[in-house]
Amino acid sequence: MASNEEITGPISQDDIEAADKLKNEANEYFKRQSYNNAIELYTKAIEKNPKNAVFYANRSIANLRLENFGYALSDASKAIELDRAYTKAYYRRAASYMSLGKYKLALKDFEYVTKVRPNDQDAKMKYNECNKIVKKIAFEKAISVDKKEVNIADSINLDAMTIEDEYDGPVLEDGKVTLKFVTELMEFYKQQKKLHKKYAYKILIDVKAYLQKQPSLIDIKVADDKKFTVCGDIHGQYYDLMNIFKLNGLPSETNPYLFNGDFVDRGSFSVECIFTLFSFKLLFPDHFYMSRGNHETLDMNRMYGFRGEVTSKYTAQMADLFTEVYNWLPLAHCINSKVLVMHGGLFSKDDINLDDIRKVDRNKQPPEDGIMCELLWSDPQPMMGRAPSKRGVGCQFGPDVTNNFLQRNGLEYIIRSHEVKNDGYEVAHDGKCITVFSAPNYCDTMGNLGAFITMNGKDLKPNYTTYEAVPHPDVKPMAYANSFFSMLCQ
């Protein structure tokens, strides 16, 4: 898509004027956060006048907002190719690089701008800020080599943490999560209060100990007459999570759930979301399941707010412990040997089977390719075959890829999340690839519904419940995100 438009021959004045009109229309859609419509019109403008760098840079920022980092990078690069002096295009490319964790390449863009425009104070400031980030990451890597044998969970001294008399929140009973604890915790969080750090650390340590014993692919059995619920991304939208439980009942041994990754980041109540979910995991380990998403990773947490939120509400040490725990989250779940659920999608190779997923060594940050990466990052496409990912990570896979994978593995369909959908869900690939996204009005801007899927064990037929966003306290999304990244996306 992004920059393969051919630039051939002279462009007529009529086409130039038509393109400008399309760009102006696209800008209006962009202002209303209607990014897909904006992209469509920027694309039409480019078709009329493929020599205007502004069109590519504008489409780049729209793709950034949709997390299509690969497309955003390609468009920004095209804008730079067309106009080397176009500063904004460098900013867009830097934001794309940073979204993909390529901080040194982002720094190079700012360095170039400061050289060609030495009096540009904005570029100088961004260069300095980016340089700080690169140096900080280099420092963190250096000290992590020194302490790589250190296991944070084992180094926490819970006995040294005292519960202050004024603490009036929920209490673990004999160090265990109970139904009373988790119901009190949910109410406590609604009042914007904070779980005591001693209990927070204990939950993380216990969850890690449990997850370490689990395989990378979890097999789930659902009885014929029993209901099972699958939820998609919730992205730190705690009050919408509470609404899911209001609509569908609290998790229990008779009301099991699977939350399919991206519990945190973007939304500014991620700490509340993750401790609620982890509490249910400890309370009902065989009836409450959690998959790793692409946002349960260090680079994403560093950029999109979770690491900043944990550090603000607790400590940097706890943020490090979360990284340690997330490394052990399972990568996929298989329901009754018929429905495979993963956060992202399928694979760039045809010969992958369920045993290959079971064998993945997941205790790490995801690599840039391979099974683990693709389970977290890939997306379906309507066309046959495969294509490079619009995100710049993973791949895009067509209905033939889905069908072949299901046939080879004796499966009926797949459920995945990872993408905002206007209706909260989307059924693709002849009903065999379902996307579910459970964060309504994502980032307080997208206007989408949220959804969850229910099924019974007998026929595994998916039923969809959709819902609108509910009010939340006046804390904006991305409140804890890297301020430099927010600045780049302006």
Side-chain angles (χ1 to χ4, degrees), residues 96-362:
S96 306
Y97 279 138
M98 292 191 79
S99 301
L100 292 164
K102 300 180 187 297
Y103 307 107
K104 288 181 180 176
L105 289 172
L107 185 63
K108 274 186 180 176
D109 276 341
F110 290 123
E111 187 175 26
Y112 179 82
V113 177
T114 56
K115 281 179 180 173
V116 297
R117 302 184 65 175
N119 297 322
D120 187 332
Q121 293 303 311
D122 185 53
K124 196 173 290 184
M125 183 263 291
K126 285 179 169 141
Y127 170 79
N128 289 335
E129 286 297 312
C130 189
N131 200 23
K132 281 182 199 169
I133 293 170
V134 169
K135 285 180 176 175
K136 184 181 178 192
I137 291 168
F139 175 73
E140 285 173 0
K141 279 186 179 169
I143 61 171
S144 73
V145 170
D146 293 337
K147 14 177 243 191
K148 64 183 175 184
E149 300 304 322
V150 174
N151 182 314
I152 295 167
D154 291 344
S155 71
I156 305 295
N157 184 357
L158 292 172
D159 294 334
M161 297 180 195
T162 55
I163 310 291
E164 298 79 8
D165 290 341
E166 58 268 26
Y167 176 70
D168 63 348
V171 176
L172 294 174
E173 296 174 28
D174 296 325
K176 303 288 185 192
V177 170
T178 59
L179 184 57
K180 179 174 183 285
F181 171 87
V182 73
T183 51
E184 288 180 1
L185 178 65
M186 290 186 290
E187 289 305 313
F188 200 60
Y189 278 153
K190 286 178 190 173
Q191 300 163 34
Q192 291 184 271
K193 295 183 177 180
K194 189 172 74 172
L195 178 65
H196 196 280
K197 68 177 181 182
K198 182 169 185 171
Y199 302 134
Y201 272 114
K202 181 70 164 74
I203 286 168
L204 289 176
I205 291 165
D206 288 355
V207 165
K208 184 190 171 193
Y210 179 85
L211 293 176
Q212 280 180 296
K213 298 172 187 170
Q214 302 306 302
S216 291
L217 170 60
I218 304 284
D219 288 292
I220 299 172
K221 299 298 177 196
V222 181
D224 282 0
D225 59 342
K226 297 298 182 186
K227 181 179 88 167
F228 191 82
T229 302
V230 180
C231 297
D233 309 37
I234 57 168
H235 275 300
Q237 296 184 199
Y238 178 73
Y239 295 84
D240 294 308
L241 172 62
M242 292 299 97
N243 190 40
I244 292 171
F245 292 153
K246 182 180 176 183
L247 294 170
N248 195 52
L250 287 178
S252 69
E253 291 179 355
T254 56
N255 193 26
Y257 278 81
L258 164 57
F259 279 82
N260 195 29
D262 283 12
F263 322 114
V264 301
D265 278 338
R266 297 280 191 179
S268 296
F269 304 96
S270 292
V271 162
E272 290 78 2
C273 285
I274 194 63
F275 277 121
T276 300
L277 297 177
F278 277 166
S279 294
F280 275 119
K281 181 63 193 168
L282 292 172
L283 185 59
F284 303 116
D286 298 325
H287 300 87
F288 191 87
Y289 303 92
M290 297 171 71
S291 295
R292 191 174 187 175
N294 66 301
H295 276 266
E296 280 70 56
T297 55
L298 181 56
D299 275 341
M300 292 287 121
N301 292 168
R302 188 185 271 130
M303 294 306 301
Y304 289 98
F306 183 63
R307 189 171 179 84
E309 185 181 339
V310 176
T311 303
S312 173
K313 293 177 179 177
Y314 291 101
T315 63
Q317 180 198 45
M318 185 181 286
D320 291 337
L321 178 55
F322 266 108
T323 299
E324 202 172 274
V325 175
Y326 287 162
N327 283 352
W328 286 107
L329 282 165
L331 302 178
H333 294 76
C334 193
I335 304 169
N336 287 0
S337 303
K338 291 297 178 186
V339 180
L340 186 67
V341 188
M342 78 292 280
H343 180 73
L346 295 178
F347 312 101
S348 54
K349 295 180 179 175
D350 276 330
D351 56 354
I352 307 298
N353 60 43
L354 298 184
D355 278 340
D356 293 321
I357 301 173
R358 290 188 178 95
K359 291 172 189 169
V360 172
D361 174 16
R362 70 186 186 278

Side-chain angles (χ1 to χ4, degrees), residues 284-483:
F284 303 116
D286 298 325
H287 300 87
F288 191 87
Y289 303 92
M290 297 171 71
S291 295
R292 191 174 187 175
N294 66 301
H295 276 266
E296 280 70 56
T297 55
L298 181 56
D299 275 341
M300 292 287 121
N301 292 168
R302 188 185 271 130
M303 294 306 301
Y304 289 98
F306 183 63
R307 189 171 179 84
E309 185 181 339
V310 176
T311 303
S312 173
K313 293 177 179 177
Y314 291 101
T315 63
Q317 180 198 45
M318 185 181 286
D320 291 337
L321 178 55
F322 266 108
T323 299
E324 202 172 274
V325 175
Y326 287 162
N327 283 352
W328 286 107
L329 282 165
L331 302 178
H333 294 76
C334 193
I335 304 169
N336 287 0
S337 303
K338 291 297 178 186
V339 180
L340 186 67
V341 188
M342 78 292 280
H343 180 73
L346 295 178
F347 312 101
S348 54
K349 295 180 179 175
D350 276 330
D351 56 354
I352 307 298
N353 60 43
L354 298 184
D355 278 340
D356 293 321
I357 301 173
R358 290 188 178 95
K359 291 172 189 169
V360 172
D361 174 16
R362 70 186 186 278
N363 179 27
K364 59 189 174 187
Q365 292 302 296
E368 292 190 7
D369 52 28
I371 292 174
M372 181 174 178
C373 167
E374 289 160 356
L375 283 167
L376 301 184
W377 278 98
S378 290
D379 294 295
Q381 64 177 21
M383 303 79 72
M384 293 292 185
R386 295 179 174 89
S389 171
K390 61 190 175 186
R391 300 175 189 266
V393 189
C395 72
Q396 290 177 206
F397 58 96
D400 54 331
V401 175
T402 299
N403 199 46
N404 291 341
F405 176 81
L406 295 175
Q407 285 190 350
R408 265 197 330 278
N409 288 282
L411 299 167
E412 292 180 5
Y413 63 93
I414 64 170
I415 298 175
R416 41 89 59 183
S417 301
H418 194 41
E419 284 184 285
V420 185
K421 297 297 177 186
N422 284 339
D423 296 325
Y425 72 96
E426 182 179 80
V427 181
H429 296 183
D430 301 316
K432 293 175 181 175
C433 177
I434 298 168
T435 299
V436 60
F437 192 86
S438 301
N441 195 24
Y442 180 45
C443 289
D444 285 0
T445 60
M446 299 300 283
N448 60 292
L449 295 175
F452 55 81
I453 297 171
T454 55
M455 63 185 78
N456 63 48
K458 185 175 184 180
D459 58 19
L460 301 174
K461 179 178 175 289
N463 303 289
Y464 306 99
T465 301
T466 62
Y467 48 91
E468 294 182 347
V470 297
H472 63 74
D474 189 21
V475 183
K476 299 287 186 285
M478 301 283 279
Y480 300 94
N482 185 290
S483 58

